[in-house]
Amino acid sequence: MKNEKKKILFGEFVTGAALTRALEMGPEAVVTEVKASNLRGRGGAGFPTGLKWELTAKQESDEKFVICNADEGEPGTFKDRLLLMEQPEKVLEGMAIAGVAIGAKQGFIYLRGEYVYLKKELEEAISSMEDRGFLGSRINGGDFSFSVEIRLGAGAYVCGEEFALISSMNGYRGEPRNKPPYPSEAGYRDKPTVVNNVETLCYIPYIVTKGAQWFKEHGTRASTGTKLFSVSGDVKHPGVYELELGITVNQLLAEVGGEGAKSVQVGGASGLNVAEKDFDQPICFEGLPPGGSIIVFGHQRDMLHVLKNFMEFFVEESCGQCTPCREGNYRLLEGVRMLEKGECSVRYLKELEALCDVMKDSSKCGLGQTSPNAFLSIVENFKTEILYR
Amino acid sequence: MSEMISVRIDDISCEVEKGTTILQACKSAGLRIPTLCYHPDLEVAGICRICVVEVEGMSGLQAACAFPIRQPITVRTNSPRIRRARRVNLDLILSEHYGDCYTCVRNGSCELQALAREYGVDRYRYPSTTAPKFRIDRSTAIVRDQNKCISCKRCIRTCIDLQQVSALETANRGHDVLIQTAFDKPISEVVCINCGQCINRCPTGALRSNMPNELLWHVIDDPEKHVIIQTAPSPRAAIGEEFGYEPGTSVTGKLNAALRRLGFDNVFDTNFAADLTIMEEGTELLTRLKKVLVDGDSSVRVPMFTSCSPGWVKYVEHYYPEYLDYLSTCKSPQQMFGALLKTYYAKKTGIDPEKMVVVALMPCVAKKFECNRPEMSDSGYKDVDFGLTTREMAVMIKEAGIHLKDMPDEDFDHPLGLGSGAGLIFGATGGVMEAAIRSVYEIVTGRPVPFKGLDVTPVRGMEGIRDAALTIENPLPEYQWLDGVTLKVAVAHGTANAKILMEKLKEGRLDYHFIEVMACPGGCLGGGGQPIPTSPEIRAARARAIYSEDHELTVRKSHENPEINQLYAEFLGKPLGQLSHKLLHTRYTPRGRFFTEGF
């Protein structure tokens, strides 16, 4: 990994310290601290973590669950994998603290099917922490117990969506559900459930020990903290970078050796394609949505080819439930094929852009709501290149 | 009373119960929201995205069918944004649907076609599917045409949630999504029980019954053939819906007239055979009870389950094959009738049974499978040649240019044309039980059932499972062994409810003597061959029609049907007698859940 600025996530860490602190603080104080930190979910959607915890903590139920979403499937992301490989105890401790906060005794890591090779190491980390009294029953000799099990995905991108994930864990097809009710009310086995991304959970031990104020010193006002970026494509130094939220595309490119790029895909296939004219935009929740994936395209890249690649991905990965996503992505891919052959009229391209708007507006889940982003932004940025081939 | 929440929908302010969906709220406010994947009988899916509306404060459009109102909200149901989304989603569906409307049985009753008209669709926005891609899958009862499937999953929600049969599931992902049977086997080789409930809920023509109309015209037009039709109680209470009558209008007399004009040589009443079923099944029940209660015979199974519903029979054969001994050995009224027509009636009239064609007008798709069972030929011929559904008959009547509304009222042919009120109520869930109670109680005690107007109300209604208990006091001398015995009965409709009872039976916790099960929700009146659409209200209306017609009949108990008594005197001897055994009783096939030879 190229990146010497190990700001937070790869910094000093003593297993168990944050959990001990959280147990001393008690659930309400933990929730308050996480809320105060303004930490937002690092899976892509950016929902405030503290609020999610608060909503789940408020529910009355005999059982609650913490799920670590390790179904890292966005094209171009590999940051969670690094955390799971190098910092499993941090992930597990974050889960245990979530358990303290919401009153859950059971956690699950929903591990991407392709990451099956990490399963053994994660299980070893779990039993090692159990042996040392950081997981399992009566942690620190107190009343709090928390155990973690691993569940494997089977290769569906959509199972990164929290309800598809829960559905898959419940033994059904991995398909998103209508909301409300939200997982905080009825999630795994219809019990209140918190679903947090791997990276999100890794910030928790630091927020608990160092405090919300310290965390807020990083990032911007609305996007506090740092963020892991999986950088790939036409750059000198691909890899995982921990950078401040609010960094501009230009700054990021300078960091990774990607100067002179034609465009940058921020946030993976479901994110936005950013052209050179917008390289001064900041990457944060109030700017370019900060998904974990940064794919850099050099000037030799054919953007229609890039778009086709993305659309093929979505056609394959849509769960196929709702009309706009099932049929819409297919129509967009067909449109790209027409463009390739020079058979797409300007009028039909407009029709497809309108389709994109409807997909964003009426799809059932985040997949269909974001899959047109690549189409819209690439067509807008490179209309001439795409239409007049 | 639950919490009320105020909602503003367009210009209307109203209060709704907490948890009401936006769609329900709109309906009660008199606003129409177009829907496609929504069905009142089914779990909400929220996947077609046709019913989308704007909810103030929420970024995307919301599916009205799936959005529960939990706090005061402001909703818009008509805006450029909403109309565009609905239209685009509709266009997306239309482009994938093989819309060859003239050759489709659902031409005129297709919900997709109706929506396209409503939205003024005059072109395909996206290049449309012009050629069918999938082979048609056909069993004796059901036809599946994936080319017309729009993936609304109503069939799956019917098969898995409503009926808990699970013959259909979603396969693949994304644009490749298909509705499939296990391992993509033909529908005839999976656990499908032919109930046809999926057909009633399919918005398009992707699911339909296997229509025998062409073949049937052929035999009707053949002067050599003597074509007889028997009509079940439910079609007469529903076929009017196909001709513009309100649901719940009985058209028995007009239907008889229409069938004669269509070319049937005899028009008989399946209710007659229903009365016969009561005689046989009632006697079987009493025999079983005596063996268990008096002789202590542990080889005899109680509770006894009814066997009139061929969907239910196949359900047991698949899912509970080790419990087949609990089913009554009685054939269904349709099959009893067929066996009698080709023996007793043929002999009586001198008609060559070889040239006799027996058609059964049924509310049921599974009846097609039933009449094609290899064991259903005890008369020496195929006992029933055609099972025809209410919908299919409506097509034939229209094709013959007959205006049902203009028909005079005509009676059935006799003998074999007199059915009691007890036979008639077979059409509603609980009807077989009520008919059995009316006769068995009176046979045992010599007194009519202790219910006002013979209406055994505890077994009526639309609750999924209902039960009742009746204590026998002062029975006739030959039934002394029943004195003081409380007979416990139960009624279930829809196989999901039957499953609850069967699971209890497995656990040894089912404390009843006699149980009626109908595979279809509502009983036969909600059968898979009945007019489309179906809903709880429509089924309730059909039930009212059946029960009120029962009240108008002079004979309302099966054992008082003079034509039944004549049949036993002239031909059968006595219930459960030797000839009855040969012609009116049957055996079952343990099929199990996995495909084997003879499935």
Side-chain angles (χ1 to χ4, degrees):
Chain A
M1 196 184 93
K2 192 244 171 210
N3 176 29
E4 294 84 43
K5 294 177 196 155
K6 291 174 180 169
K7 289 186 188 316
I8 300 179
L9 286 180
F10 296 91
E12 199 182 317
F13 177 72
V14 182
T15 307
L19 179 56
T20 306
R21 176 83 190 101
L23 286 166
E24 286 163 12
M25 288 162 73
E28 280 177 35
V30 171
V31 170
T32 310
E33 200 63 30
V34 175
K35 270 184 85 175
S37 76
N38 282 341
L39 173 65
R40 293 172 68 166
R42 297 301 198 242
F47 192 84
T49 306
L51 180 59
K52 203 183 247 189
W53 286 16
E54 185 180 52
L55 292 169
T56 320
K58 271 201 302 203
Q59 296 289 320
E60 304 239 339
S61 174
D62 53 339
E63 265 185 308
K64 293 181 186 178
F65 299 102
V66 174
I67 296 173
C68 168
N69 185 346
D71 192 54
E72 184 178 38
E74 188 65 43
T77 64
F78 36 87
K79 60 172 184 85
D80 292 343
R81 183 181 64 185
L82 191 75
L83 291 170
L84 292 165
M85 279 170 81
E86 295 188 1
Q87 314 273 342
E89 295 196 349
K90 207 175 283 176
V91 180
L92 290 164
E93 187 158 342
M95 291 176 71
I97 296 170
V100 173
I102 66 160
K105 293 190 194 70
Q106 179 68 53
F108 296 95
I109 296 178
Y110 188 89
L111 188 64
R112 180 182 182 194
E114 290 87 339
Y115 288 179
V116 63
Y117 62 92
L118 293 176
K119 189 168 178 250
K120 193 161 160 272
E121 282 169 48
L122 285 170
E123 276 166 352
E124 280 166 12
I126 292 169
S127 44
S128 157
M129 279 178 74
E130 277 171 352
D131 292 345
R132 289 179 286 152
F134 299 133
L135 281 180
S137 59
R138 304 184 64 81
I139 291 167
N140 282 0
D143 293 333
F144 179 68
S145 302
F146 191 80
S147 43
V148 176
E149 285 177 31
I150 295 173
R151 291 282 186 273
L152 269 180
Y157 167 72
V158 72
C159 284
E161 197 275 346
E162 57 186 4
F163 257 132
L165 185 156
I166 287 166
S167 203
S168 147
M169 276 183 58
N170 279 335
Y172 300 108
R173 262 176 80 87
E175 288 182 341
R177 198 174 83 182
N178 294 294
K179 299 184 238 188
Y182 298 94
S184 57
E185 302 155 271
Y188 178 58
R189 285 167 43 195
D190 276 336
K191 304 286 184 186
T193 303
V194 147
V195 184
N196 284 138
N197 172 260
V198 175
E199 185 188 340
T200 313
L201 288 165
C202 284
Y203 288 104
I204 297 296
Y206 294 101
I207 292 170
V208 167
T209 46
K210 298 191 175 180
Q213 209 48 48
W214 167 84
F215 185 76
K216 283 158 78 174
E217 286 165 15
H218 302 276
T220 70
R221 232 180 122 77
S223 309
T224 54
T226 56
K227 172 89 190 77
L228 288 189
F229 292 98
S230 315
V231 180
S232 63
D234 298 321
V235 294
K236 288 198 191 82
H237 311 289
V240 177
Y241 290 79
E242 183 178 357
L243 301 167
E244 299 259 345
L245 280 169
I247 190 171
T248 65
V249 179
N250 266 329
Q251 287 167 331
L252 187 142
L253 287 173
E255 188 89 22
V256 304
E259 297 91 340
K262 180 178 184 182
S263 76
V264 177
Q265 187 74 17
V266 178
S270 64
L272 291 173
N273 186 270
V274 182
E276 216 173 335
K277 65 179 167 54
D278 295 319
F279 281 0
D280 56 345
Q281 295 284 314
I283 301 173
C284 54
F285 293 105
E286 62 272 39
L288 299 168
S293 156
I294 301 286
I295 307 171
V296 181
F297 301 107
H299 280 277
Q300 72 277 28
R301 301 293 163 192
D302 175 347
M303 292 316 289
L304 188 60
H305 191 234
V306 167
L307 178 56
K308 188 179 178 187
N309 194 350
F310 288 149
M311 291 326 299
E312 280 171 344
F313 173 77
F314 287 122
V315 167
E316 181 141 337
E317 293 299 340
S318 162
C319 80
Q321 270 192 95
C322 78
T323 308
C325 182
R326 180 185 67 238
E327 305 300 344
N329 282 308
Y330 168 73
R331 289 295 163 187
L332 294 182
L333 175 61
E334 287 291 293
V336 171
R337 288 181 180 142
M338 288 161 78
L339 283 162
E340 267 183 338
K341 288 189 249 166
E343 287 172 0
C344 183
S345 65
V346 176
R347 193 173 147 253
Y348 190 64
L349 190 60
K350 278 213 175 90
E351 200 78 271
L352 292 177
E353 286 176 297
L355 168 62
C356 287
D357 290 340
V358 169
M359 289 168 69
K360 290 173 77 162
D361 210 9
S362 70
S363 287
K364 186 169 174 175
C365 84
L367 200 164
Q369 288 162 8
T370 56
S371 63
N373 286 340
F375 190 96
L376 283 175
S377 52
I378 290 177
V379 167
E380 192 193 305
N381 290 340
F382 302 99
K383 198 165 236 161
T384 322
E385 175 186 329
I386 281 169
L387 266 176
Y388 308 104
R389 294 168 70 77
Chain B
M1 200 177 120
S2 62
E3 201 185 324
M4 297 303 281
I5 307 220
S6 49
V7 203
R8 190 163 171 82
I9 308 172
D10 298 337
D11 301 330
I12 302 163
S13 293
C14 55
E15 294 235 310
V16 295
E17 253 181 53
K18 188 176 181 176
T20 306
T21 63
I22 293 178
L23 183 66
Q24 290 166 328
C26 287
K27 205 174 169 192
S28 56
L31 289 164
R32 193 184 166 279
I33 306 282
T35 57
L36 199 52
C37 71
Y38 172 82
H39 192 283
D41 288 327
L42 302 177
E43 302 273 333
V44 166
I47 54 177
C48 71
R49 315 309 278 185
I50 291 291
C51 69
V52 287
V53 294
E54 284 176 35
V55 178
E56 210 174 271
M58 302 207 64
S59 56
L61 296 174
Q62 302 296 318
C65 68
F67 194 99
I69 297 168
R70 312 196 300 176
Q71 61 215 29
I73 51 169
T74 303
V75 178
R76 283 186 63 139
T77 71
N78 179 18
S79 70
R81 184 178 158 208
I82 293 168
R83 282 195 308 275
R84 182 181 68 165
R86 288 178 184 168
R87 176 65 199 267
V88 163
N89 286 331
L90 179 60
D91 284 331
L92 285 169
I93 294 169
L94 286 170
S95 303
E96 278 305 298
H97 171 76
Y98 176 59
D100 193 2
C101 292
Y102 329 112
T103 61
C104 184
V105 287
R106 294 296 297 277
N107 189 0
S109 70
C110 171
E111 291 179 43
L112 186 61
Q113 196 185 43
L115 266 183
R117 190 171 56 230
E118 190 176 320
Y119 276 76
V121 173
D122 56 357
R123 68 186 174 105
Y124 287 108
R125 190 185 301 265
Y126 312 105
S128 76
T129 303
T130 47
K133 285 185 281 191
F134 301 98
R135 243 199 6 241
I136 289 175
D137 178 17
R138 201 182 284 271
S139 72
T140 48
I142 294 188
V143 182
R144 290 173 66 226
D145 184 352
Q146 287 266 359
N147 299 300
K148 292 174 182 166
C149 176
I150 57 167
S151 300
C152 70
K153 301 199 189 185
R154 281 196 197 170
C155 55
I156 288 179
R157 286 176 280 150
T158 303
C159 200
I160 293 182
D161 304 329
L162 187 74
Q163 291 291 72
Q164 298 194 8
V165 170
S166 309
L168 297 173
E169 236 302 17
T170 314
N172 307 337
R173 277 199 317 238
H175 189 251
D176 296 332
V177 151
L178 288 176
I179 310 304
Q180 246 176 25
T181 55
F183 308 107
D184 202 18
K185 293 241 175 223
I187 189 85
S188 56
E189 293 179 14
V190 296
V191 291
C192 173
I193 63 167
N194 303 312
C195 68
Q197 291 299 309
C198 54
I199 299 174
N200 285 4
R201 289 170 184 79
C202 180
T204 70
L207 284 154
R208 60 179 201 261
S209 55
N210 196 344
M211 282 175 85
N213 294 23
E214 295 273 338
L215 278 171
L216 188 50
W217 278 123
H218 197 71
V219 294
I220 287 175
D221 295 339
D222 183 347
E224 288 287 299
K225 300 282 190 209
H226 186 88
V227 189
I228 299 173
I229 190 159
Q230 48 158 317
T231 80
S234 291
R236 66 191 70 160
I239 199 166
E241 293 164 31
E242 297 276 357
F243 295 91
Y245 286 96
E246 281 299 304
T249 314
S250 234
V251 293
T252 315
K254 291 184 190 307
L255 178 61
N256 288 344
L259 295 176
R260 289 207 178 88
R261 280 156 188 70
L262 204 71
F264 288 103
D265 299 303
N266 285 121
V267 181
F268 288 133
D269 193 350
T270 310
N271 297 358
F272 167 83
D275 286 332
L276 185 61
T277 302
I278 289 300
M279 298 308 291
E280 293 291 328
E281 204 164 74
T283 312
E284 184 186 356
L285 175 67
L286 289 169
T287 311
R288 282 200 197 204
L289 287 179
K290 190 172 184 197
K291 281 186 182 160
V292 169
L293 298 174
V294 181
D295 311 338
D297 185 344
S298 59
S299 70
V300 174
R301 302 289 177 224
V302 169
M304 184 175 89
F305 286 85
T306 59
S307 55
C308 308
S309 164
W312 157 239
V313 167
K314 194 158 181 262
Y315 180 80
V316 181
E317 290 177 332
H318 282 306
Y319 283 95
Y320 299 95
E322 64 276 33
Y323 292 91
L324 284 168
D325 288 348
Y326 287 82
L327 285 184
S328 161
T329 59
C330 286
K331 286 182 184 172
S332 69
Q334 159 180 300
Q335 292 305 129
M336 285 195 181
F337 213 142
L340 284 177
L341 286 168
K342 293 196 177 176
T343 52
Y344 170 67
Y345 186 70
K347 206 162 124 193
K348 206 175 163 76
T349 55
I351 301 166
D352 180 1
E354 184 85 50
K355 293 186 174 147
M356 200 183 259
V357 176
V358 176
V359 182
L361 171 57
M362 292 287 146
C364 183
V365 182
K367 290 281 172 195
K368 296 171 187 290
F369 175 83
E370 186 186 30
C371 76
N372 283 304
R373 279 175 177 259
E375 67 271 24
M376 291 294 177
S377 53
D378 292 320
S379 62
Y381 306 90
K382 192 180 173 189
D383 293 340
V384 173
D385 297 276
F386 294 100
L388 197 69
T389 67
T390 311
R391 289 192 300 270
E392 291 158 355
M393 180 52 82
V395 172
M396 291 187 76
I397 292 173
K398 286 175 189 167
E399 194 178 353
I402 296 165
H403 294 266
L404 192 74
K405 283 190 170 174
D406 299 340
M407 286 291 112
D409 285 331
E410 289 183 8
D411 191 11
F412 293 96
D413 292 330
H414 295 280
L416 313 182
L418 181 66
S420 75
L424 178 75
I425 59 174
F426 265 53
T429 164
V432 178
M433 184 55 70
E434 178 164 351
I437 290 173
R438 283 185 195 172
S439 284
V440 169
Y441 186 88
E442 194 162 326
I443 288 167
V444 168
T445 65
R447 304 182 300 272
V449 282
F451 290 98
K452 190 170 167 253
L454 295 178
D455 294 343
V456 188
T457 46
V459 298
R460 292 190 182 181
M462 288 290 169
E463 278 287 301
I465 298 173
R466 309 181 292 281
D467 60 5
L470 194 60
T471 305
I472 307 284
E473 281 162 358
N474 300 321
L476 296 171
E478 54 191 303
Y479 294 105
Q480 269 310 314
W481 54 274
L482 273 172
D483 196 13
V485 171
T486 300
L487 283 179
K488 294 181 192 162
V489 301
V491 172
H493 59 125
T495 40
N497 292 313
K499 185 180 174 185
I500 294 170
L501 295 179
M502 291 309 287
E503 288 301 312
K504 278 191 177 170
L505 178 63
K506 257 189 172 173
E507 294 162 15
R509 296 193 296 121
L510 197 63
D511 183 24
Y512 295 110
H513 298 105
F514 187 31
I515 298 175
E516 176 204 298
V517 178
M518 293 295 157
C520 294
C524 301
L525 56 83
Q530 291 281 68
I532 296 169
T534 184
S535 71
E537 293 75 29
I538 291 173
R539 294 193 293 275
R542 292 175 189 162
R544 280 195 300 276
I546 286 174
Y547 285 119
S548 67
E549 201 175 341
D550 165 41
H551 267 270
E552 288 162 19
L553 294 174
T554 41
V555 181
R556 294 185 57 212
K557 301 167 200 162
S558 301
H559 63 282
E560 288 180 357
N561 182 338
E563 293 187 359
I564 289 288
N565 295 331
Q566 186 190 353
L567 173 70
Y568 278 111
E570 285 181 10
F571 185 65
L572 288 172
K574 61 180 177 37
L576 286 190
Q578 212 179 355
L579 207 47
S580 290
H581 240 291
K582 180 176 180 308
L583 294 175
L584 309 181
H585 291 258
T586 188
R587 60 196 178 278
Y588 305 108
T589 311
R591 295 173 200 270
R593 290 164 63 179
F594 307 101
F595 179 76
T596 46
E597 210 58 45
F599 199 71

